[in-house]
Amino acid sequence: MTFWVIASYFLGGIVAYVLARPSRKIGAFVALLFSIYPLYALIPALDGGFYLRFTVIPYYLHLSFRLTLLGWFFALIAATLYSLSLFSAYSEKRDSFFLLSSMFSAGGLMGVFLAADYLTLFIFFEIMAFFSAFTFIREHRRSALKYIIYSLVGSYAFLAALLVINRSTGSLEITPLSGFGGSVPAVMSLFILAFWVKSAVMPFHPWAPSAYADSPHSYTPFFSGALSKSGVYGLVLAFFYIFAGFFKSHHAFGYIFAWIGALTALFAGIYALLQDDAKKLLAYSSISQLGYVAFGLGLGTSLSITGSLFVALGHAVFESLLFFVIAAVYIRTGTTMLTEMGGLIKKMPISFIALLFGIIAAAGIPPTVGFPGKWMLYEAVLEKGYPLLAGAIFAASITAFLYCYRLIYSIFLGPLKKEFRDVREAPFPALVPLLLLLIPLLFFGLFPGYVVDVTDSILREFGYLGVPHTPAKLLSGLGTFNGLAVGITMGAAFVIAFLVHAVFSRSRKVSELNNYTAGEVAEGVSMHYVADFYKFIERELHGFLKLRVEALFNWIAEGIGGLGEVLRRVYAGDIQAYLVYLILFLGFLFTLYRGVLRW
Amino acid sequence: MVILEFFLVLIGITALGLLYGGIARKWSARIQRRYGPPFYQNFLDVFKLLGKKNTKSHGVMFALGPVIAFTGIILSLFFLPLGNSRPLLSFEGDIFVLFYLLVIAPLGMALGAGEAANPNATIGIARGLTLMLGYELIFFLSAIAVMVKFNTASLWKIVEIQGTFPKWNLFPFFLSAFAGLIALQGMMGEKPFDLIVAPHEIASGPMVEYNGKYLGLLQLYHAIAIVVETGLFVNVFLGGGSILTFILKTFFVFMLAVTIDNIMPRFRIGQAVKFYWKYPLIISLLGILVVFIWR
């Protein structure tokens, strides 16, 4: 069955590619059918751990798969998001090549989550990386190549680690490593680099903003919500399974990683404030959320790991919801620039409501899926007694309020732009993912215990204690959180507030120009305060903002480019030059071997 | 019975907040050598505003904004311990939950004001959110010093552990308390941090388009917010006691803020944020250092 979970995507990709040629509708429909099968197969598969091995080339290449709880958790997230993204892709009228490459990338991702040996993991990791880049390489060559290059750096490091591990253990199966002596830190660093890059934790994040911004709008939710989870999956596997012995005995490593995660969350949050492109803003927001995940993994207590996995789930739900809204808005407005939109609430109310809930969750306000994970992380860091780390992630979560408000205000609030007076609500297929994602967004916020059930089993597999909980209630050593109680009280408080509002005389609806300007706004003057929204922060931080890791990477890239220039002078494509090289080379050999070789 | 208690607290605290506001107006007036309005003026204002027949609305979100703001502050109130009594909805006043619940109200107001399409409102909101990056962090850092020392996230337990007068956290944690006080000034939007409303620059910011019953609702929100915000500080640093002493303490903290408000000019937004990231940040970090040395 695992075989078909993965094969369904590859088979479906090919079938959809062929069928989408004559008719896009049929192609998209077939792709959807093939992508729903893994979902259908995965949901009941929780209790059946199994192992599958088959040979591709005898003696040389075996692929083996197994279903672990951790893999199941992430695979289910990925399968759901992929199916949803096809609805949006249908509205965007994507072509057959998009269906093929996105299906293959989803299949690659499934393979990563279900792989039982390192080689299988590596192969599917590469498939995933390449085909996800193929979805947008035709329109945005530069950012796709950037993404591929960053992925490749990680993959080669992973390949090196794989070879070392194979040499010393003689096996490629994913099992906890013991022994190994002093080279564990080096092997582990090589191993996690690939996943570090893929989860876009700083300093290996620069591919993410451009790749998320340039990938097809319907694909980005899957890209950010699910593909980045392959990085989280690998990190969890490395820290708590493969290198668990090392990780448990070296607290400094975890502490440093926690700081990296916390600073990622904070810095990415600050960068997100200053973006004018909605997708770039969300890309940085996505990096920031994954910083929280890395932070929790670094702390390494049961509570913090549970918190991390919860944030990973929450991120998959709300970040992809937000990206889906941007996709829906793009279909109608043709832009993702915050400065070019405004006032769409009156035209696209359903998208507005979806975005509203999305930002509430992204800001981490209870009772949505964004809060319980963050709460567990705070409690965990307090239990450990690291106040500065707590301060760093709290500062990061304040930046979330700032960029979230900017996002919703710039797109949906403020005055309506003249060119959007006739805009309608997005087409129904593009709204399907928005409405469906609202369900887990609220449900897991009210009943975080159902997620913790799964994460508890995962933790027990790794030899950690679970987090005490009931469906609605989470308990830490320091406190409790009850999602349902917050939800019910919020509902009651809303009713009270609404009654106060409703008992008094009804209001009169007036046009947006009926305000303090008394309608005397000059024609063509935009009253939308949207460009340079947080100029004050930019001004105060400009020294800090100049320090960017991109500058370092660009410097390296320029160096390599310069090297290429030099090499091109040598390989000038001129026969006479080559002849000179040949003679020089022979002369060199002659001087070198004159005393050794005699003939 | 429980529901009755909820309503009693809600109405009581709202009245208390309005009373505080009224007394503060009188106090400010006396500082400025004016006669000032009567202390019950805020009650009259709210009743007048709520009863207005001619209320203008700019859309659904505009109308819902004050409702959400009021919802958020009621919710925070229910999670706040009032003196030694447990919070009505006991997670024992988990500070992290409370911090996040406290954000709902400003966010609701910001969303509502956003739909009014008035740039003054949005400038006020942008300033408010920016300022949040300053004071929220400082307040968090000063509270976490106490939390790390007592190893709890529960406000109620912090109140229980400190006990009454001479054992207030104010004395051992005086650095954190001082930073927290500066943060509180920003949280309540009093001078020198009143740039969100800044009546002379941006015509009272987010409130600029609100009128009639919406403004009334926002005033009710503001009344409760005074008690909740000062109550947060009182619970962390000024010990426990009966509800009466709680009321007295919040009153004094609020009057202190109002007094400072009356003798200070206003920061520019850049200056305010920079200020927060400088001295209060250093003070609160020193406060944390003290906790670590003390352990």
Side-chain angles (χ1 to χ4, degrees):
Chain A
M1 185 215 72
T2 329
F3 173 74
W4 283 107
V5 167
I6 299 164
S8 171
Y9 285 108
F10 291 103
L11 195 65
I14 295 165
V15 174
Y17 180 72
V18 174
L19 289 181
R21 290 259 146 151
S23 157
R24 271 184 190 149
K25 281 186 185 175
I26 296 174
F29 184 69
V30 168
L32 185 66
L33 282 185
F34 274 96
S35 77
I36 281 176
Y37 170 75
L39 203 58
Y40 164 77
L42 275 171
I43 287 175
L46 176 57
D47 45 358
F50 53 83
Y51 185 82
L52 179 93
R53 177 187 165 93
F54 62 95
T55 306
V56 181
I57 307 168
Y59 302 110
Y60 283 103
L61 187 58
H62 308 281
L63 296 179
S64 55
F65 301 99
R66 66 176 169 181
L67 189 64
T68 60
L69 260 175
L70 184 68
W72 179 83
F73 179 70
F74 284 116
L76 200 57
I77 292 175
T80 314
L81 286 186
Y82 185 71
S83 294
L84 289 179
S85 83
L86 281 176
F87 282 99
S88 194
Y90 172 77
S91 287
E92 283 185 354
K93 302 192 171 60
R94 292 282 162 196
D95 64 357
S96 52
F97 183 69
F98 169 80
L99 287 177
L100 178 82
S101 45
S102 75
M103 274 299 236
F104 272 38
S105 69
L109 183 61
M110 281 300 152
V112 169
F113 290 146
L114 301 178
D117 70 78
Y118 295 115
L119 194 62
T120 312
L121 185 63
F122 177 74
I123 290 170
F124 281 96
F125 201 77
E126 289 302 290
I127 292 175
M128 171 189 84
F130 275 94
F131 281 97
S132 55
F134 288 167
T135 55
F136 59 108
I137 200 162
R138 288 170 300 171
E139 299 92 356
H140 301 280
R141 201 179 157 74
R142 207 179 149 76
S143 50
L145 284 179
K146 193 169 164 187
Y147 165 58
I148 288 182
I149 288 169
Y150 274 92
S151 291
L152 279 181
V153 170
S155 315
Y156 286 139
F158 179 76
L159 193 62
L162 185 159
L163 293 174
V164 176
I165 291 170
N166 184 34
R167 241 183 110 85
S168 59
T169 64
S171 138
L172 278 173
E173 204 186 335
I174 300 178
T175 48
L177 284 176
S178 51
F180 239 46
S183 61
V184 172
V187 178
M188 180 167 157
S189 312
L190 284 176
F191 186 90
I192 62 174
L193 192 64
F195 303 108
W196 195 330
V197 172
K198 191 60 72 181
S199 59
V201 172
M202 284 178 185
F204 304 113
H205 67 284
W207 62 268
S210 58
Y212 290 170
D214 290 341
S215 53
H217 303 301
S218 56
Y219 184 72
T220 322
F222 174 73
F223 200 166
S224 140
L227 274 187
S228 62
K229 296 297 173 306
S230 66
V232 177
Y233 171 79
L235 290 175
V236 173
L237 212 59
F239 288 165
F240 307 112
Y241 189 63
I242 301 171
F243 300 98
F246 173 81
F247 190 77
K248 262 185 189 161
S249 55
H250 292 74
H251 292 294
F253 182 85
Y255 185 67
I256 292 168
F257 201 77
W259 264 111
I260 291 172
L263 291 180
T264 301
L266 177 58
F267 292 167
I270 291 172
Y271 291 137
L273 304 178
L274 308 172
Q275 304 303 318
D276 281 337
D277 184 344
K279 288 188 83 184
K280 281 215 164 129
L281 185 149
L282 286 177
Y284 276 111
S285 146
S286 178
I287 297 169
S288 175
Q289 298 295 333
L290 285 161
Y292 281 97
V293 177
F295 163 80
L297 297 181
L299 279 186
T301 63
S302 338
L303 196 62
S304 80
I305 302 166
T306 312
S308 274
L309 291 174
F310 207 111
V311 172
L313 170 76
H315 169 258
V317 174
F318 64 72
E319 205 74 58
S320 46
L321 173 63
L322 294 175
F323 273 121
F324 275 128
V325 175
I326 303 298
V329 169
Y330 184 85
I331 291 173
R332 288 303 187 217
T333 64
T335 177
T336 62
M337 296 304 286
L338 293 174
T339 44
E340 290 169 10
M341 290 183 266
L344 290 175
I345 177 174
K346 295 186 176 72
K347 303 292 169 188
M348 309 179 79
I350 299 175
S351 309
F352 170 76
I353 290 166
L355 190 78
L356 179 61
F357 277 97
I359 65 154
I360 288 174
I365 293 169
T368 56
V369 74
F371 184 71
K374 283 185 185 132
W375 180 79
M376 283 186 269
L377 291 180
Y378 284 125
E379 301 274 316
V381 72
L382 191 61
E383 258 179 1
K384 279 262 193 174
Y386 298 147
L388 292 184
L389 266 178
I393 59 164
F394 188 72
S397 74
I398 303 169
T399 63
F401 304 135
L402 272 75
Y403 62 69
C404 281
Y405 183 73
R406 185 174 182 200
L407 185 70
I408 195 164
Y409 172 75
S410 308
I411 299 177
F412 285 105
L413 302 176
L416 184 66
K417 287 260 183 341
K418 214 194 297 171
E419 55 266 39
F420 299 138
R421 286 227 175 108
D422 303 322
V423 161
R424 281 175 299 136
E425 180 59 271
F428 181 70
L431 294 177
V432 169
L434 307 188
L435 299 173
L436 288 181
L437 279 172
L438 283 180
I439 299 167
L441 186 134
L442 285 173
F443 183 79
F444 292 135
L446 292 170
F447 299 101
Y450 288 117
V451 181
V452 180
D453 278 339
V454 180
T455 57
D456 265 4
S457 320
I458 294 172
L459 285 182
R460 271 190 221 106
E461 277 185 8
F462 295 147
Y464 283 84
L465 290 171
V467 173
H469 66 277
T470 62
K473 203 169 173 185
L474 302 174
L475 298 147
S476 76
L478 304 173
T480 41
F481 168 70
N482 188 330
L484 191 61
V486 175
I488 290 173
T489 323
M490 187 182 257
F494 185 80
V495 170
I496 296 173
F498 194 79
L499 283 178
V500 174
H501 161 86
V503 291
F504 295 101
S505 58
R506 294 183 66 181
S507 56
R508 184 164 56 88
K509 189 134 187 301
V510 295
S511 97
E512 65 181 40
L513 287 178
N514 187 347
N515 62 12
Y516 80 119
T517 61
E520 299 211 4
V521 182
E523 199 54 38
V525 175
S526 171
M527 300 297 276
H528 203 194
Y529 177 77
V530 62
D532 291 332
F533 200 85
Y534 292 118
K535 188 74 182 170
F536 353 102
I537 301 178
E538 208 173 338
R539 218 179 275 143
E540 298 311 316
L541 286 176
H542 71 98
F544 160 76
L545 291 172
K546 267 190 244 159
L547 284 174
R548 306 197 69 165
V549 68
E550 280 97 328
L552 175 69
F553 289 135
N554 285 342
W555 182 75
I556 294 174
E558 268 169 31
I560 292 174
L563 206 68
E565 277 300 312
V566 173
L567 280 178
R568 199 156 61 204
R569 292 237 174 96
V570 177
Y571 292 104
D574 182 1
I575 294 284
Q576 290 183 1
Y578 287 143
L579 208 64
V580 173
Y581 294 152
L582 189 66
I583 292 164
L584 283 176
F585 180 65
L586 287 176
F588 174 71
L589 279 185
F590 181 70
T591 47
L592 198 65
Y593 290 117
R594 202 172 42 152
V596 186
L597 288 176
R598 282 151 213 272
W599 58 77
Chain B
M1 199 58 219
V2 180
I3 292 177
L4 195 68
E5 199 183 337
F6 273 72
F7 273 103
L8 268 178
V9 167
L10 179 60
I11 292 167
I13 295 292
T14 314
L16 196 68
L18 289 174
L19 187 66
Y20 282 8
I23 296 173
R25 283 171 78 172
K26 190 88 185 165
W27 177 243
S28 303
R30 299 314 292 163
I31 292 175
Q32 295 161 2
R33 308 197 176 191
R34 286 187 285 117
Y35 186 73
F39 70 91
Y40 51 84
Q41 182 63 43
N42 274 9
F43 290 94
L44 302 182
D45 284 355
V46 168
F47 287 132
K48 181 196 77 181
L49 285 171
L50 287 176
K52 278 248 180 186
K53 285 245 160 56
N54 185 10
T55 306
K56 288 188 286 182
S57 159
H58 283 278
V60 179
M61 198 65 228
F62 181 85
L64 276 183
V67 176
I68 296 175
F70 198 43
T71 308
I73 204 72
I74 294 174
L75 199 58
S76 328
L77 177 66
F78 288 165
F79 281 93
L80 184 82
L82 306 170
N84 262 14
S85 63
R86 278 184 191 234
L88 289 173
L89 270 166
S90 183
F91 303 172
E92 300 184 342
D94 189 291
I95 252 181
F96 298 121
V97 178
L98 199 57
F99 266 126
Y100 275 88
L101 290 179
L102 270 173
V103 180
I104 297 175
L107 193 66
M109 191 165 87
L111 287 172
E115 206 190 357
N118 186 327
N120 279 342
T122 322
I123 292 170
I125 293 160
R127 285 179 176 190
L129 288 164
T130 308
L131 197 62
M132 211 179 206
L133 212 48
Y135 67 76
E136 284 269 353
L137 179 64
I138 305 301
F139 199 89
F140 183 83
L141 285 176
S142 58
I144 205 154
V146 178
M147 284 148 77
V148 167
K149 175 69 185 159
F150 293 168
N151 196 24
T152 178
S154 146
L155 259 182
W156 182 67
K157 271 192 193 139
I158 290 175
V159 173
E160 285 283 287
I161 295 171
Q162 10 178 358
T164 47
F165 172 62
K167 289 194 243 159
W168 286 359
N169 276 344
L170 179 65
F171 306 119
F173 295 96
F174 62 97
L175 283 174
S176 297
F178 184 53
L181 208 58
I182 300 174
L184 192 68
Q185 196 78 8
M187 198 186 280
M188 302 209 298
E190 304 285 0
K191 279 188 205 113
F193 305 109
D194 70 333
L195 343 99
I196 303 167
V197 286
H200 325 95
E201 296 171 32
I202 49 172
S204 72
M207 259 92 83
V208 59
E209 287 302 326
Y210 277 113
N211 58 84
K213 65 176 176 181
Y214 300 119
L215 196 56
L217 265 175
L218 285 178
Q219 296 221 334
L220 287 179
Y221 146 70
H222 189 65
I224 303 178
I226 291 173
V227 181
V228 171
E229 284 159 3
T230 50
L232 194 60
F233 180 82
V234 166
N235 280 331
V236 179
F237 293 108
L238 297 184
S242 66
I243 187 136
L244 211 68
T245 51
F246 175 81
I247 289 172
L248 272 176
K249 284 175 204 161
T250 51
F251 180 68
F252 276 107
V253 172
F254 179 61
M255 286 324 261
L256 180 65
V258 171
T259 312
I260 296 170
D261 175 76
N262 272 302
I263 55 174
M264 285 278 189
R266 178 164 50 235
F267 271 136
R268 259 188 298 120
I269 178 66
Q271 289 171 327
V273 177
K274 212 170 188 172
F275 170 78
Y276 268 128
W277 287 343
K278 243 184 228 165
Y279 305 109
L281 184 66
I282 293 167
I283 295 169
S284 58
L285 290 179
L286 282 178
I288 289 173
L289 192 70
V290 168
V291 173
F292 271 85
I293 294 167
W294 182 14
R295 264 215 289 223

